[in-house]
Every structure is written in structure tokens, then in C-alpha cells.
């Protein structure tokens, strides 16, 4: 087995990757987030380590570089350093046009929506938003070089996890849907020398001289699992099925305020995907045992799993409802209530059907 104990040195990183990281203020080890309270639960259960890549979601980058944007909190407001960086890099127009969440709805992605980007540390001040904004700008500046930077960062963490005898899970869509063409489609070119360096330094195997996307490159390594939540539809080049074919263990996200919420949920479950459903129930309260989704004459009832026990969705059964207790999104307005279902047993009417929760105990 190749040695896994080489330390990363500046010369080990390709020059374009190193330069991109320097321009946007990142180091290789710090590009991805290594822990949060939820992933730490999984690690405590022996599920291995987790990396998450965080960008600004929806139109949050545009709002962050707009001086007139007061925001409901500092994290949602104008961030001068991001505007300065965007102008310095010639990215202002791209940042204003960027939408990090193609399938956002008002309840999650509006200026006062309930996006989880603004929960936890992400909602306490502007520092986290500024860092996520810098990553987003780096992705816009050169998506292919940025993807290779992410690959190198993951490879470094992968080596550390293997030395500790642990597996590694990676979410590239921590708070957004990634580059416009999707992580599972974006070609990542690796040279022969780069592939050799990744293998010798980190024990990370990847084929040179191909245009394989990063998700396929990650999934080809034992003990490394790419997984995601996504509000994408089942079909299409950016859809759930295409993401799965690209090497990702993907869980569909239920959007209760979407006009096609129930039909989309039924389609995802019938294709074998888990369906993550935010429900407004308090921490410590029992989750429902069953979820029934109805649209016209079509309906399905599925068992549930508690999505707050761990973030390692790839360990859950397929075609189940993953119940996520609604988290506080600081600065959210009334529109955020549309983000979640209510925690009761009465049928809840939605635009194209209804959802019922049931507690058997």
C-alpha cells in the first residue's frame, strides 16, 4: 500500500490550485468543514469522518455584495470584504447573477427564508457567510481548478482518515447545489504527474488524462463515500437519477411549498430515494412512525428514520422518509414556515395533494 504519511508541501499542490486558494484566502486543509454537531454524532457512533463543502446558497452571494442590502441579520446582510474581493477578481457581474440553488422555493431560499445556511454558527455573524462567499467566488472564478482544489483537500483528509482506520464521507452540496452543471457532470482533468502525487502522498487513486467528474473520482476509492441531499427532480441531467449514476448516494429533499411537492416526493420514493422531510417538532419529541403522501389517486406510505441522530444518510434504508426537526434559521421571516410540515396527525394539504404523519405509539 502506498505511504500515507507524507505531509502536504506547497510544491505538492499544482500551481493553479495553489494560486486559486491563495487568491481567495484558503489553505488545503481548511477548504472543507471537518465537523459540525450533527456529523460529530455519527462519528461518535463509529460511522467515520465527514467533510462538508459550504457555499452561499440561492441568491445570498448577490445580497452579500449589495451595499443597499440591510439584511435581517449580519449573516444575511451586506459584507464589504466580499464586494471588494468580487471587484478585485472581476467577478461582480457573475456574483450578482449566481443562483446557488436552482430548485429553491420561497420557504428556503428567499431573503428571509428558512435556509439552514443561517442556522448554528452560520447565523451568528458575518464571518461564516464571508468564508462561504469566498469559496463561492473561487468556484465562479475557475470551477475546474476549484474542483481540483477540493479533490486535493479531500485526498489529504482521506489519508488522515485511513491512517486512523476510519472511513470518510463527503458532502459537496453542504449549503448549495454546486456549480451550474453539477458536481456529477463537471469534468475534472488530472495529469499523470498529479495522479502519481495523489497516490504517493495520500493513497488516493484517480485516473489521469480523463474528464471524469469529482464524484466518480471520489467514489472509486474504498472507504470514501460521496453523499448529498438535493431538491432536484428525479429526471434530467441535474436530477437525482443522474447524480446517483455519477457516484453519489443522494437523498431527495421534500419541498412542501413547491407546486409539485407531492408528485416530486412520490417520484423520488418510487425511484428508491430516501425523502428528507423537515417537520416542526421540538428537539426530544418523538418523530412520526409513518408518512403518507397523496396526489390525486396516487399515494404511498413509508416508514421513517430519525434524521437528527446522524448525518450519514447513506447508512439508512432506501425509500424511507427521513424526518428532520426544523432548525432555527436566524433572521428568517414568516415565509420560512412554508419550509416545514407541522407536527400533528391531521392531513396537511399542499398545492398538489396532501401529507399525513402518524405516530403508532
Amino acid at each position: 500500500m502506498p505511504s500515507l504519511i507524507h505531509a502536504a508541501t506547497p510544491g505538492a499542490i499544482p500551481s493553479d490550485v495553489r494560486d486559486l486558494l491563495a487568491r481567495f484566502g484558503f489553505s488545503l486543509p481548511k477548504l472543507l468543514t471537518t465537523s459540525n454537531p450533527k456529523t460529530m454524532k455519527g462519528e461518535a457512533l463509529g460511522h467515520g469522518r465527514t467533510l462538508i463543502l459550504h457555499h452561499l446558497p440561492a441568491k445570498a452571494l448577490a445580497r452579500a455584495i449589495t451595499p443597499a442590502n440591510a439584511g435581517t441579520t449580519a449573516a444575511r446582510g451586506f459584507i464589504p470584504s466580499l464586494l471588494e474581493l468580487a471587484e478585485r477578481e472581476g467577478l461582480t457581474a457573475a456574483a450578482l447573477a449566481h443562483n446557488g440553488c436552482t430548485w429553491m422555493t420561497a420557504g428556503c431560499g428567499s431573503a428571509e427564508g428558512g435556509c439552514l445556511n443561517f442556522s448554528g454558527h452560520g447565523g451568528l455573524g458575518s464571518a461564516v457567510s464571508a468564508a462561504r462567499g469566498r469559496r463561492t467566488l473561487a468556484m465562479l472564478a475557475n470551477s475546474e481548478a476549484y474542483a481540483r482544489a477540493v479533490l486535493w483537500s479531500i485526498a489529504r483528509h482521506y489519508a488522515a482518515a485511513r491512517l486512523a482506520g476510519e472511513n470518510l464521507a463527503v458532502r459537496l452540496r453542504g449549503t448549495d447545489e454546486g456549480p451550474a452543471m453539477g458536481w456529477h457532470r463537471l469534468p475534472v482533468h488530472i495529469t499523470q504527474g498529479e495522479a502519481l502525487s495523489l497516490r504517493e502522498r495520500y493513497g488516493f487513486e484517480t485516473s489521469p488524462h480523463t474528464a471524469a467528474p469529482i464524484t466518480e473520482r471520489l467514489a472509486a476509492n474504498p472507504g470514501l463515500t460521496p453523499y448529498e441531499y438535493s431538491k432536484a427532480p428525479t429526471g434530467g441531467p441535474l436530477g437525482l437519477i443522474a447524480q446517483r449514476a455519477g457516484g453519489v448516494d443522494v437523498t431527495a429533499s421534500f419541498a412542501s411549498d413547491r407546486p409539485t411537492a407531492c408528485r416530486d416526493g412520490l417520484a423520488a420514493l418510487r425511484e428508491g430515494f430516501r425523502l428528507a422531510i423537515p417537520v416542526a417538532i421540538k428537539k426530544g419529541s418523538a418523530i412520526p412512525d409513518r408518512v403518507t403522501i397523496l396526489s390525486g389517486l396516487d399515494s404511498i406510505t413509508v416508514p421513517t428514520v430519525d434524521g437528527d441522530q446522524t448525518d450519514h444518510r447513506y447508512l439508512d434504508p432506501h425509500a424511507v422518509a427521513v424526518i428532520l426537526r426544523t432548525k432555527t434559521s436566524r433572521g428568517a421571516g414568516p415565509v420560512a414556515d412554508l419550509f416545514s410540515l407541522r407536527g400533528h396527525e391531521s392531513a396537511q394539504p399542499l398545492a398538489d395533494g396532501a401529507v399525513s404523519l402518524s405516530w403508532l405509539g
Side-chain angles (χ1 to χ4, degrees):
M1 185 178 73
S3 173
L4 304 179
I5 59 176
H6 295 284
T9 63
I13 308 172
S15 59
D16 61 334
V17 169
R18 186 173 65 249
D19 292 346
L20 185 71
L21 290 172
R23 281 163 50 198
F24 291 92
F26 288 102
S27 64
L28 202 63
K30 300 294 185 181
L31 188 58
L32 286 86
T33 300
T34 56
S35 66
N36 65 34
K38 191 171 174 183
T39 60
M40 289 171 66
K41 291 181 181 179
E43 291 173 19
L45 293 171
H47 296 165
R49 304 184 182 188
T50 304
L51 295 176
I52 303 180
L53 182 61
H54 289 292
H55 298 132
L56 284 181
K59 297 291 290 182
L61 179 58
R63 293 193 290 269
I65 67 167
T66 300
N69 172 36
T72 54
T73 63
R76 295 176 186 257
F78 171 54
I79 302 176
S81 63
L82 287 182
L83 176 58
E84 293 170 8
L85 181 59
E87 291 181 339
R88 187 191 79 194
E89 296 291 335
L91 293 169
T92 306
L96 290 172
H98 178 65
N99 181 356
C101 301
T102 305
W103 298 282
M104 70 175 184
T105 58
C108 66
S110 65
E112 296 183 10
C115 181
L116 298 184
N117 179 69
F118 304 109
S119 64
H121 285 100
L124 292 177
S126 62
V128 172
S129 285
R132 293 175 181 179
R134 286 188 284 114
R135 290 190 192 93
T136 312
L137 288 170
M139 181 177 68
L140 295 177
N142 187 332
S143 60
E144 201 273 346
Y146 183 70
R148 285 172 48 243
V150 171
L151 184 72
W152 271 81
S153 181
I154 293 171
R156 192 180 195 278
H157 288 285
Y158 177 61
R162 292 184 71 193
L163 279 173
E166 296 179 326
N167 291 331
L168 180 67
V170 179
R171 278 178 58 194
L172 298 179
R173 297 183 174 98
T175 38
D176 76 327
E177 290 282 350
M181 70 183 306
W183 287 118
H184 63 290
R185 298 174 66 228
L186 178 69
V188 180
H189 298 84
I190 300 293
T191 66
Q192 182 74 40
E194 198 171 350
L196 180 61
S197 184
L198 285 165
R199 177 188 302 147
E200 290 185 342
R201 291 178 177 276
Y202 305 127
F204 184 92
E205 298 289 343
T206 194
S207 300
H209 308 306
T210 66
I214 186 172
T215 54
E216 290 183 12
R217 294 184 183 278
L218 298 179
N221 285 270
L224 202 166
T225 303
Y227 77 108
E228 305 289 358
Y229 299 84
S230 178
K231 283 192 173 183
T234 53
L238 297 177
L240 302 173
I241 294 172
Q243 291 182 45
R244 182 169 61 190
V248 183
D249 184 292
V250 61
T251 296
S253 294
F254 188 71
S256 60
D257 58 338
R258 182 181 288 158
T260 56
C262 293
R263 280 173 285 169
D264 291 345
L266 289 167
L269 288 168
R270 290 222 159 87
E271 287 291 342
F273 294 100
R274 306 171 204 92
L275 186 63
I277 304 178
V279 181
I281 51 179
K282 294 181 179 180
K283 182 178 179 180
S285 298
I287 67 166
D289 298 286
R290 296 285 186 273
V291 172
T292 299
I293 301 177
L294 170 70
S295 182
L297 298 178
D298 191 10
S299 70
I300 188 170
T301 298
V302 293
T304 66
V305 296
D306 190 339
D308 291 332
Q309 293 302 310
T310 172
D311 195 58
H312 294 81
R313 296 279 71 82
Y314 55 92
L315 297 175
D316 292 334
H318 293 281
V320 298
V322 179
I323 303 300
L324 301 170
R325 294 172 180 83
T326 304
K327 309 299 187 296
T328 299
S329 181
R330 292 177 176 84
V335 69
D337 290 341
L338 302 173
F339 183 74
S340 306
L341 296 176
R342 305 298 99 189
H344 56 69
E345 289 195 314
S346 300
Q348 301 182 50
L350 302 180
D352 66 335
V355 177
S356 297
L357 312 176
S358 58
W359 283 258
L360 301 181

